[in-house]
Amino acid sequence: MVVLVTLGLMGVVACGGGDDNGSSTTSNLPTSIGRGEGQLNLIAWEGYTEDEWVKPFESQTGCKVNAKYAGSSDEMVTLMRQGGGSQYDMVSASGDASLRLIRGGDVAPVNVALVPGWQDFIPELKSPPHNTVDGQHYGVSLQWGPNTLLYNTRDVTTTPDSWSTIYDSRYKGKVTVPDNPIQIADAALYLSRTRPELGIRDPYALTEDQLDAAVDLLKTQRPLIKKYWALASDEIDLFKNGDAVVGASWPYQTITLQDSGAPVKDLIPREGATGWADTWMLSSNARHPNCAYAWMKWISTPRVQAQQAISFGETPANLKACSYMDRIQRGACAKYHANAPASYFASIKFWKTPTRDCGDGSQDCTDYTTWQQKWTEMKG
Amino acid sequence: MSAGLFKRGWLRLTLTLGAPAAWFVLIYLAALAILFVSAFWRVDSFTGDIVHDWNLDNFKTIVESPTYRTIAFRTIGIAAAVTITDALLAIPFAYFAARLAPKRLQTVLFVIVLVPLWTSYLVRVYAWRLILAEDGILNWTLHELGFGGVHIAYSNWAMWIVFSYLWLPFMILPVWVAFERVPASFLEASADLGARGWTTFRRVLLPMVLPGIVAGSIFTFSLTLGDFITPTLVGGAGSDFIGNVVYRSVGIASDVPFAAALATIPLLVMGVYLLVARKLGAFEAL
Amino acid sequence: MDTTRISRAALAVWTALIVLFLLFPILLIILYAFNPSNVQSWPLEGLSTKWFSSTFHNEQMREALWLSVRAALISTTIAIVLGSMAAFAVHRFRFFGRETISFLLVLPLALPGIITGMALNSFFVWGTVNFSLTTIVIGHATFCIVTVYNNALARLRRTQTSLVEASMDLGADGWQTFRHVTMPVIATALVAGGLLAFALSFDEVIVTTFTAGAQNTLPLWIFGNIRLGQNLPQVNVVVLMVIVVTIVPVTLAQRLTRDTGVLRPGVGRGRADASTHAAAAAEPAP
């Protein structure tokens, strides 16, 4: 795959013009990928820029990749805004950061015609609401995954089938959940099934009362918590060294633990799960836009999608990745739900930024700042 | 001094102090000033822009909310505990190293104290996780010896231990130097006047070494006060420090004004501490 | 002090325990560089050197290491130049605001790193400065300058100014005196301060988090690896390398700061030393 030489390009790439207040500008999207600028600065989740697929990219395009790791969506948003937004070219934002970046004018629309892999994406991720606004694509979907229930098969003898397990005082002092305000949505999701009278339909659009109910649930959980894990390796250590036996997790931890011989399993309980869907977004003031497009193209090809999926333990957006996954690791395609039916996808409530807009016309839902304050207060 | 020096005294002064002063004022103090001014502003939560809207909301939130009070007291409390622990651990060690150890041993001890400083802070904290974990080395040893296990992993106890470990070299060094500087004649005089070992220690040595102890305590106190990494790595469910909330406000929530308002707590605490420390002569012993 | 046998033995035991306390986690880190698994747990399931090769070939690690070395070297150089200048000025001249300058110069070390980091970050963002090695160095230099300044000032205070006077009386001009009398005395203090500054810069994590752009210093690289946990033993390997490489300079530094020839710690010192009341009674060093 060689970087295409330009023919009659209109300037460089879509930079969103001089002013950035979220208005979509279709007119200056590039029609082809120009010559690489020699460098590419990325903000990425840990493990999204492994040598396995970065090295071939670098040698083929001449774009040297510098990755800055971030541990949370919020961190990514902050980093993107640093230095007037020209510090980094791309960010692998999850759904709870992407809209904030779009509204803040930090990211620019992209021309998905330049990303052949996009054609083979599952339909739900071609133009999802968290990265496509008014028909404008602000990036290309990347991978996705569920927040699972992780448990130690030795200490949790009956297979759990409900999120109630992590609120069960039977496991006092041995529970762990992520240290992230977005976890409130998980509590809300659980409440939406167990206390339907609260009327929670969207775990990310919570009124004051619904938010308080979710936070109260978390407060009852707090004495059970050994530690709120902030880093993936925290949870790995907690389970490996016997400090936790049940908790909320990502598939990545499960794989790593199982590979090291720990007796753990994970599953999605009957109430369903929250999840994350990542998008590679292009900065409005990217200094290396051609390399950025080359990266988007590369990272969407089936083989690279497969490599990343297996490496991290997530599900690729590209349907064609399935066969590659099985080639790398037998059974991987099914293991990571790469060929799962659409119903599986629909069962996951992907992260998105809570705003005052409830989505049904009313504006009295709680926004993310409130969630953060409540989370800090709950933890104490 | 030579007359020449005097005449060009002011020129010399400007030159010698000019460069560092420029550095400091321009960059460091200006940055601090801007930061603390922004505590009086607020941020638009969706776009992340700072709105220059003078108000005291941030400070009100901090003062009125019991959460932040708890966090502040927890931070200061553990910082104090760590400081006292390190002082107690360091004093006998420093005394031995400075005055009783032969030269060769002194070199070895010095290297041993400094090697941890060269070893990555992060990795040292990580090693402690292994020691304190439920199935970790500490519990394994206790089980082997026939005792029950302790469950201090990911707790305030763990933080206290780890912080004390991390900053111990910072306490040892100034105290060691302080012990070295006490002239033997003082101690001889004290003995001649009839004081026995402990009395000499208490009434002659300790006061002379106090500046060193206070100097070391500046480090242990301030380093604990502002740290957020150790609470993240070895803290438990209720182990948030001021630093954690600040870090989350800045690096994650992008709410610099609130973070700045919070940061005034350690700033004020350290400001007072430094003034007291200066009175006790610690600045000469740093 | 006429320490009794028992006291001596007790102190020796205490020192040994502290040594164990300081070294145990480090030994653990070294041991786990040979961990066959990529997850850190106890007990160790055998030994393996398989991580050494992958670590040496890890380009991101090498770049991070090189960046750290460069940042530390530049910061230390700036620190030595500016720190010694500031120490001279404060020591030699009495001027208005001298106490304040002294106080201000302690701030970067005394204030929690998160405040410095946040302040510089906001400052750079406000001034739309690109985050790069330069911003990292600026961040490090703030506390490196202070380290060198403290060491230099402490040494200057312990130098007998009569030496300088004597040199002048013997006909040397300011520059010659500086070169042949002051410099040799202060040189080892600069080396000691510089080494400490280098160590602080090399292992700095908190301020660097806020002042680095797309680059990784070694501590940032380590933090990234700890975050994910897939290649943890590589971190141990790197730390082992660093320890091995730095034992020699640290030992040298200790030797240097001991033998100064002109003065010996604890016996005879300058007038400005805060802990002396009987300087007149003390014998000058042989």
Side-chain angles (χ1 to χ4, degrees), chain A residues 214-231:
Chain A
V215 172
D216 284 341
L217 176 62
L218 291 173
K219 282 191 182 145
T220 63
Q221 186 192 44
R222 190 173 167 317
L224 312 176
I225 301 279
K226 180 71 178 187
K227 180 176 176 59
Y228 289 94
W229 61 268
L231 320 168

Side-chain angles (χ1 to χ4, degrees), chain A residues 150-153 155-156 171-177 224-229 234-248 257 262-264, chain B residues 133-135 153-154:
Chain A
L150 179 65
Y151 64 99
N152 183 319
T153 49
D155 297 282
V156 181
Y171 302 110
K172 184 171 167 122
K174 296 255 179 215
V175 182
T176 179
V177 297
L224 312 176
I225 301 279
K226 180 71 178 187
K227 180 176 176 59
Y228 289 94
W229 61 268
D234 278 349
E235 196 172 30
I236 294 173
D237 280 352
L238 283 165
F239 274 86
K240 182 74 179 164
N241 293 316
D243 288 294
V245 298
V246 68
L257 281 165
V264 298
Chain B
E134 189 72 18
D135 297 340
Y154 306 108

